[in-house]
Amino acid sequence: MTGARPSGRTGKTLRTIGRAAAVTGAVGVAGLAYASVIERNWFRLRRYEIPILAPGSDRVRVLHLSDAHLTPGRRMLMDWIRGLDAYEPDLVVNTGDSLASADSVAPFIDALGPLLDRPGLFVYGSNDLFSPQLKNPARYLWRSSKTDYNKRTVPDLPWRDLGAAMSDAGWLDLNNHKGHVKAGTANIAVAGIHDSHIKLDRYEKVAGPADRTADLRLGVMHSPEPANIDRFTADGYDLLLAGHTHGGQICMPFYGTLVTNCGIDRRRAWGLSRNGASWLHVSGGLGTSPYAPVRFCCRPEASLLDLVAAP
């Protein structure tokens, strides 16, 4: 006995569903190819002018780098970073997550190239200490990656070598430290904290009023947690720089960032905003985890911040 054949109407419905499924699958494959091959390597330089200096001050140009998540084979990214020296920044600030491999220190330092000859500052991110792990990349939609570090206590990446290479070039290590740096004609008071995402931030080590005699006061962190942002603002820091969010990495047209992977709100997941009396700039970052190598409606970026005299 054979099964009954579907009616003409039922067969037409099934064919329609089949075609829709095929189109949806094709669109999904095309979207994934775009996000992983094209947009992931479509680097851009965002430019901002911030009226933050005293009247009559010379411009100070700050290059903000973050979240390269570098693996040695990413030549396009390395060459693009090196080329940023052509913009002649007065100060380079790296807000962490530079590595994604134990073999990435030398390639990252090579990518910085002539930028290392300029004044610079740096803090670490969690991925400078701990290597990326294979996991469901969609998990970030409903949970923070912070919990992934609960059982990881021993770093397996050469973060000390990374820090030594930048420090040897004259860049200032701001992981729970403060100090001063000269950029252009400006004397800048700086303070920074280690990554709150892995509970290594110690704001109490840099706490206290920022130096009011300096021309500018700059606070640096990897993850833009609101509590730390507010502490920097309360201590009188004029400009705060952070990374970590990747701008959301996967964004939706007409909606924007889906999640920030930290406590900051979606509206401030990347770009320039105000936090009380301070300016806050969160970099959308340059890279991705090698296990989630996609960006969608969220191009990889560095930022050039032209600090100018307030009117």
Side-chain angles (χ1 to χ4, degrees), residues 74-112:
R74 298 207 64 196
R75 291 301 323 175
M76 288 178 65
L77 174 56
M78 288 185 270
D79 291 344
W80 192 82
I81 293 173
R82 174 180 282 269
L84 294 173
D85 185 67
Y87 293 93
E88 299 184 340
D90 299 302
L91 178 67
V92 184
V93 180
N94 175 16
T95 49
D97 273 6
S98 303
L99 308 180
S101 163
D103 299 320
S104 294
V105 172
F108 182 72
I109 296 303
D110 181 63
L112 292 177

Side-chain angles (χ1 to χ4, degrees), residues 265-302:
D265 54 284
R266 293 189 308 106
R267 181 178 59 85
R268 299 192 294 171
W270 59 264
L272 189 66
S273 62
R274 296 305 298 261
N275 189 73
S278 303
W279 291 92
L280 169 67
H281 179 261
V282 179
S283 172
L286 285 163
T288 68
S289 166
Y291 296 119
V294 296
R295 278 184 174 255
F296 189 77
C297 293
C298 187
R299 287 169 59 187
E301 65 181 43

Side-chain angles (χ1 to χ4, degrees), residues 219-237:
V220 182
M221 70 204 90
H222 176 65
S223 181
E225 289 295 342
N228 285 326
I229 293 171
D230 290 345
R231 291 183 184 109
F232 277 114
T233 296
D235 279 340
Y237 287 90

